[in-house]
Amino acid sequence: DEFLDAVREYLRLSVDDALRSGNPLVRALAMLDRRLGKRRLRMLRLERGVEHPVVRLFLGLRLRAEGMDPDESTSDTTSSAESTTA
């Protein structure tokens, strides 16, 4: 079974190796790994357009779980209300 093979592969890899895996299922599982911090999630969010759809889906789920907007185009955003003073 392809999914079980991906899970087995993922379990024996570091998070860095999982993110570099040629298997999109392994990369998707890495999106849910708690070792993947918010800073790196922000970077991955910016690169997701070139990623497999399953990986993008799992990344979106993780971003939402972390309270981050998966649709932001930059990692350093401030609202106009915060950046202007009255």
Side-chain angles (χ1 to χ4, degrees), residues 28-46:
L29 291 170
M31 296 300 130
L32 304 178
D33 195 312
R34 68 182 175 134
R35 297 174 293 176
L36 189 60
K38 286 185 178 183
R39 186 179 317 154
R40 191 175 236 174
L41 283 171
R42 285 185 192 102
M43 291 185 336
L44 291 170
R45 176 179 56 198
L46 298 176

Side-chain angles (χ1 to χ4, degrees), residues 3-59:
F3 182 75
L4 289 177
D5 290 342
V7 170
R8 285 185 195 105
E9 180 182 346
Y10 167 74
L11 289 173
R12 66 177 177 78
L13 296 174
S14 69
V15 70
D16 291 326
D17 289 340
L19 289 170
R20 288 190 297 264
S21 173
N23 186 334
L25 291 174
V26 172
R27 291 194 310 275
L29 291 170
M31 296 300 130
L32 304 178
D33 195 312
R34 68 182 175 134
R35 297 174 293 176
L36 189 60
K38 286 185 178 183
R39 186 179 317 154
R40 191 175 236 174
L41 283 171
R42 285 185 192 102
M43 291 185 336
L44 291 170
R45 176 179 56 198
L46 298 176
E47 300 169 0
R48 73 177 180 193
V50 298
E51 214 17 296
H52 189 279
V54 171
V55 179
R56 289 195 312 259
L57 173 69
F58 277 59
L59 175 58

